[in-house]
Amino acid sequence: MQSNPYSWIESSLSTIHKANWYRSLKTIESVPGAIIKLEGKRLINFASNDYLGLAGDERLIGAAIQATKEFGTGSTGSRLLTGHREIHQELELEIAQLKQTEATLVFSSGYLANIGVISSVVSQRDLILSDEYNHSSLKNGAILSGAKIVEYSHNNIEYLKNKLEQERENYRRSLIITDSVFSMDGDLCKLPLLLDLAEKYNSMLLVDEAHATGVFGINGGGCVEHFNCTGKQLIQIGTLSKALGSLGGYVAGSENLIEFLRNRTPTWIYTTGLTPADTAAALTAIKIIKKEPERRLKLWQNLEIFMNLLETENQLLHKGKKNSNYQSPIICFPLKNAATALKVGEKLKQAGIFAPAIRPPTVNTSRIRISLMSTHEISHLQQLITALINLNK
Ligand SMILES: *Cc1c(COP(=O)(O)O)cnc(C)c1O
């Protein structure tokens, strides 16, 4: 018998190292933006979720400072006790307007929103159907719920339909869960088809709009708007931490759903309300998203420019790319293993590009993942292309 009950940690770490799965922190030393300073080096940033460049926006910074001066640094308690302020309500109203739903509820993070909502709306007697590429928060929410989980192969509607056909009648409630923009691959779920299936099999449908909010849809309402599915019965999750440049998560849906969650969701009830600073920054971001559609247009223009540049580079095309029809500002370049991905990430860094390797266990197959921002300039995109081409030399 081993004498040290903690000795497994060291051997576990060593296994992680051997598999090239080890992760470490990288210190960013500047305001978020298209250019960042990382460990003393100026890099063009293709690793950020700050799609609209709002995290460093003076107006968000100003709003956060103002709210902090007015309401303090912490909200001091759960929303149901001392943690609720008028700006929380204002934010929830703004999100409901953006999403065109009856109501919304904000959480301290998107992760907490997902695990809280999923585990509140289904339990042991129920069925969850989950896309295999779903975000960790959806997967862990499903596990926490205690429901029977059926994972369907990525975006495979036929497979999902068969599973519903076989399994649905054996359970009380049913919930389909999916990312709307898949976070590590950048492709989209087939929302209209999912809605049809949900209706046919009397199933709820939860979509995670983390990478879509503020980015997709004419008004920035997300993929639901993009697919013309606004107003359909759905549970929509999102984050305040990506295009909105702040911190927090939300759920949007019917008044009944929100009322139920306010009474039954532990990750909302038993945790401290969003800080005034985060709340005010997110509120300001939504107002900017509504007032300045040009930011979203610029992002999509950047994507088009990047695709065109890429297409003219045959060399790159030979390397093969996962999504030949890029559907979002998330673009992946598959690589053969974790070690190669790390090496490529390092080479790009030497070329002045920050585009890190994404490896198992985050994803099954290693890759370089690039995310574009509306604040990237054409010269930034060109430098990225050049750096990618030089990898082959
Ligand atoms: C980032 C992300 C989350 C988590 O949001 P946070 O606010 O960062 O906790 C949830 N779902 C998806 C798909 C994400 O990409």
Side-chain angles (χ1 to χ4, degrees):
M1 182 124 166
Q2 274 191 353
S3 58
N4 180 355
Y6 302 96
S7 60
W8 65 269
I9 298 175
E10 203 179 323
S11 52
S12 238
L13 273 172
S14 131
T15 309
I16 292 169
H17 272 293
K18 274 187 208 133
N20 275 310
W21 286 17
Y22 189 77
R23 282 140 165 81
S24 56
L25 291 167
K26 300 174 201 73
T27 308
I28 311 277
E29 296 148 340
S30 58
V31 166
I35 306 280
I36 49 167
K37 208 170 123 195
L38 185 133
E39 285 150 7
K41 203 164 183 257
R42 203 174 155 277
L43 298 173
I44 309 172
N45 183 11
F46 288 101
S48 175
N49 296 318
D50 182 22
Y51 297 108
L52 304 176
L54 290 176
D57 190 285
E58 283 302 330
R59 292 165 291 181
L60 271 72
I61 296 170
I65 292 171
Q66 179 58 35
T68 304
K69 284 188 172 157
E70 204 169 329
F71 301 111
T73 48
S75 71
T76 78
S78 152
R79 289 280 296 287
L80 291 171
L81 293 172
T82 58
H84 182 58
R85 308 285 177 274
E86 200 173 345
I87 45 173
H88 290 119
Q89 193 181 356
E90 261 180 77
L91 175 60
E92 285 167 350
L93 284 173
E94 282 288 338
I95 298 170
Q97 248 186 38
L98 181 72
K99 300 295 297 181
Q100 301 211 35
T101 58
E102 285 174 12
T104 65
L105 192 61
V106 293
F107 286 72
S108 303
S109 77
Y111 207 111
L112 284 172
N114 268 328
I115 60 174
V117 172
I118 294 169
S119 61
S120 299
V121 300
V122 286
S123 60
Q124 278 85 352
R125 294 158 64 195
D126 306 320
L127 174 67
I128 288 180
L129 299 120
S130 172
D131 190 291
E132 63 174 331
Y133 282 11
N134 276 343
H135 188 259
S136 157
S137 54
L138 292 167
K139 293 188 174 185
N140 280 325
I143 293 168
L144 184 64
S145 76
K148 157 83 176 176
I149 302 166
V150 172
E151 219 174 51
Y152 58 91
S153 46
H154 179 51
N155 261 340
N156 190 336
I157 296 292
E158 207 42 48
Y159 185 96
L160 171 61
K161 182 170 186 276
N162 287 339
K163 286 293 166 189
L164 277 163
E165 188 69 46
Q166 288 162 16
E167 302 267 6
R168 174 65 186 98
E169 64 182 9
N170 302 323
Y171 296 89
R172 181 185 59 172
R173 299 176 199 148
S174 168
L175 174 70
I176 303 168
I177 57 178
T178 184
D179 286 16
S180 68
V181 177
F182 286 89
S183 59
M184 291 299 136
D185 294 79
D187 56 340
L188 309 187
C189 76
K190 299 171 175 169
L191 186 59
L193 298 179
L194 292 174
L195 275 164
D196 287 348
L197 280 187
E199 191 180 352
K200 179 157 186 228
Y201 290 94
N202 187 28
S203 177
M204 300 179 282
L205 171 60
L206 179 149
V207 291
D208 181 345
E209 296 262 64
H211 292 274
T213 311
V215 172
F216 280 81
I218 300 225
N219 301 298
C223 276
V224 175
E225 186 184 12
H226 167 78
F227 281 117
N228 275 323
C229 296
T230 307
K232 299 266 187 200
Q233 263 207 329
L234 261 175
I235 301 174
Q236 300 185 50
I237 304 281
T239 179
L240 312 178
S241 327
K242 289 176 175 144
L244 303 190
S246 181
L247 178 68
Y250 70 81
V251 54
S254 71
E255 183 67 52
N256 274 345
L257 170 74
I258 300 306
E259 227 174 281
F260 170 79
L261 295 172
R262 273 200 296 261
N263 287 280
R264 291 304 284 276
T265 303
T267 64
W268 185 80
I269 298 171
Y270 302 106
T271 195
T272 303
L274 274 188
T275 67
D278 291 324
T279 311
L283 185 56
T284 305
I286 294 184
K287 288 178 178 164
I288 292 173
I289 281 169
K290 285 180 183 166
K291 267 203 319 258
E292 300 175 6
E294 60 271 23
R295 284 179 177 269
R296 201 159 37 256
L297 290 179
K298 180 77 195 313
L299 175 63
W300 288 103
Q301 269 168 14
N302 276 348
L303 180 60
E304 199 180 325
I305 291 166
F306 181 73
M307 280 162 52
N308 287 338
L309 287 171
L310 203 56
E311 238 142 74
T312 51
E313 293 301 339
N314 268 333
Q315 250 180 315
L316 265 174
L317 292 181
H318 292 323
K319 286 202 81 173
K321 49 190 168 141
K322 192 142 189 171
N323 308 316
S324 47
N325 55 337
Y326 299 120
Q327 296 175 326
S328 78
I330 300 169
I331 301 150
C332 291
F333 297 93
L335 293 161
K336 72 171 184 290
N337 55 40
T340 312
L342 283 173
K343 233 178 280 162
V344 169
E346 202 43 51
K347 273 193 185 165
L348 289 174
K349 202 150 110 192
Q350 280 159 20
I353 304 285
F354 185 38
I358 308 285
R359 297 164 277 158
T362 306
V363 288
N364 288 334
T365 53
S366 295
R367 68 201 62 183
I368 289 289
R369 175 182 179 274
I370 279 155
S371 51
L372 299 182
M373 298 167 64
S374 63
T375 45
H376 281 134
E377 291 164 17
I378 294 180
S379 64
H380 298 152
L381 305 177
Q382 278 162 340
Q383 277 185 69
L384 171 58
I385 298 273
T386 307
L388 287 168
I389 293 164
N390 285 340
L391 288 174
N392 291 340
K393 289 183 179 159

